[in-house]
Each structure stands twice: as C-alpha cells, then as structure tokens.
Amino acid sequence: MKSMKALSLFSGIGGIDLACEWAGIETVAFCEREPFPQQVLKKHWPHVPIYDDVCTLTKERLEADGIGTIDLIHGGYPCQPYSLYGEREGAEDDRALWPEVCRLIETIRPSWFLGENVIGHVTLGLDETLSDLGNLGYTAQPFDIPAVSVGALDERRRVFIIAYSNSEQWETPSIFPRLNTKGSPKAPKIWSEFQFYNGGANDFLFRKEDESLLCRADDGVPRELDEPRFKALGNAVNPYQVFPFLAGIKQIDNMMKEMQK
C-alpha cells in the first residue's frame, strides 16, 4: 500500500514526527528555524530536509526539491499570541503564523491537517482557524487533550485540530467502517516505561536508548547548553498525546485508499 507522507511545520525536536513514525506516517520535510531543534532533527532524521522559514516555504519549492505528494500537513503553530500567560494579542501579534499554515494548506491541498496549540487558543483565535479551514473545503474538529491523560506528571492541556478535505469524503456516510483498534500501531515498548520530565516526553531525543535520564538540576551540562534544551522541551509536543490522532488518521487513510482501488 502507498505510504502516507507528511510535511512537518514548526517541527521543534520532532514530537509529532515521532508519533507519525509510530503510526506509520513518513515525514518528508521539516520546517524549523531554531538551531538547537534543527540539530536534534538532523540527529534522528538525517535524510529529511529541513526548511528554516515557513513564510518562504512554498509548494513550488518543495516540488523543485523532489518532494512529491503530501497527504498530511501538521504542526504546532506559535502559541504566544494565544497563551493565557502572554499578552493575548491574537492575530495582531507578529508571531501569529496561522495565515502561513493556511496558505500552505490552500496550495498543497493535503487530505489531512493536524494542528496543535495551547488551551488559550480555544478562547482566542480558534474560531478563525476553523472558519479558514471550512473556507478551504475542510471539515475540522478541535479536541482538548491533557498530557496527564496519557501518563504525564503535569496537566499540559493542548488543543488538537483535526481536519479532512471535503473533496475526499465518502459519498455515502453510512458506509464509513468502524475503526478496528485491534493490532493498531503502538508506541515501541522501550518508551512505555519512560518517566516524563516536566511534561517533556521528548526528553529521550537527547539521549541514546541505553542511557538513563539525567537529573536536570545537576547533570553536569553547562547552563548555556541546558537552556536551549529546556526551551525545546517546553515547546515540544508530547508524542503520546498526539499519537492516537495520527494512528486513527493513518487507519482511515488506509481504508480510503483500499476503497478507491
């Protein structure tokens, strides 16, 4: 069966991309401008190209670089405009980059979109996001999933937006099959015993599989090196939070492709 391919925006250290990998979705390109997360991405996905500016990324540039059909665009677009702990300027904030995400969705026309943001987005900006997706011909649904629901030590509430292109919907909704969760992809067992640190399920990205987690309060790492790591962890998407959505997307996409044969 044809593999499902994803474009990763605001990739950070690859939390969503790790969950994609677990679900059987291939990341074909990253877009991340921060140097430290770029190093992490290069370490774990050395053959995947990294673009450094979502504002200059275009469908034409991706195609020129040999990146073909994209089935899924995903990303946690900047949360500062919507955060309950910020100025909450929404679209007036210079860091509000949803319009760039919307532009890429409109030109690339993926079957799926998955967005992530802080819970403050629910009361500021989410209506516009859902309206924009609707105007582009996508049916979208937001979900409020806290990290504590997947075993993290902190609440870390996040809103996830799942959108699917109306042009690819089933003509007869009654034939929508029941999802079979038996044998669905699962996170590798090695991570099932992972101890969450500060809500950062991506901490393992900074170590090898045979290394133990370090106590960040006194781990011998110079502070100037530890600070970008803390920042990256704070911005990272917990892969356990987003994995169920991606596993469901992959399963539905597989069924859609089977029905189109």
Side-chain angles (χ1 to χ4, degrees), residues 158-210:
R158 291 292 184 269
V159 58
F160 293 93
I161 303 159
I162 312 299
Y164 186 67
S165 173
N166 293 336
S167 65
E168 302 189 36
Q169 299 282 2
W170 278 289
E171 293 183 5
T172 309
S174 61
I175 67 172
F176 194 103
R178 182 181 297 277
L179 287 180
N180 176 20
T181 56
K182 268 191 174 181
S184 61
K186 295 180 181 179
K189 185 179 185 299
I190 188 172
W191 306 122
S192 65
E193 300 173 358
F194 181 80
Q195 297 298 310
F196 289 84
Y197 168 76
N198 193 30
N202 299 289
D203 202 23
F204 70 87
L205 286 171
F206 301 115
R207 64 189 179 99
K208 297 178 181 178
E209 292 186 3
D210 58 351

Side-chain angles (χ1 to χ4, degrees), residues 79-80 82-84 116-122 157-159:
C79 65
Q80 295 91 338
Y82 318 109
S83 174
L84 298 174
E116 179 270 349
N117 217 289
V118 294
I119 199 63
H121 193 26
V122 172
R157 290 177 65 190
R158 291 292 184 269
V159 58

Side-chain angles (χ1 to χ4, degrees), residues 46-81:
H47 304 298
V48 179
I50 301 175
Y51 299 89
D52 63 3
D53 190 351
V54 69
C55 297
T56 60
L57 185 61
T58 63
K59 176 183 178 182
E60 291 74 22
R61 186 177 178 188
L62 291 167
E63 290 178 343
D65 290 343
I67 297 171
T69 300
I70 292 171
D71 306 291
L72 164 69
I73 291 179
H74 66 70
Y77 46 98
C79 65
Q80 295 91 338

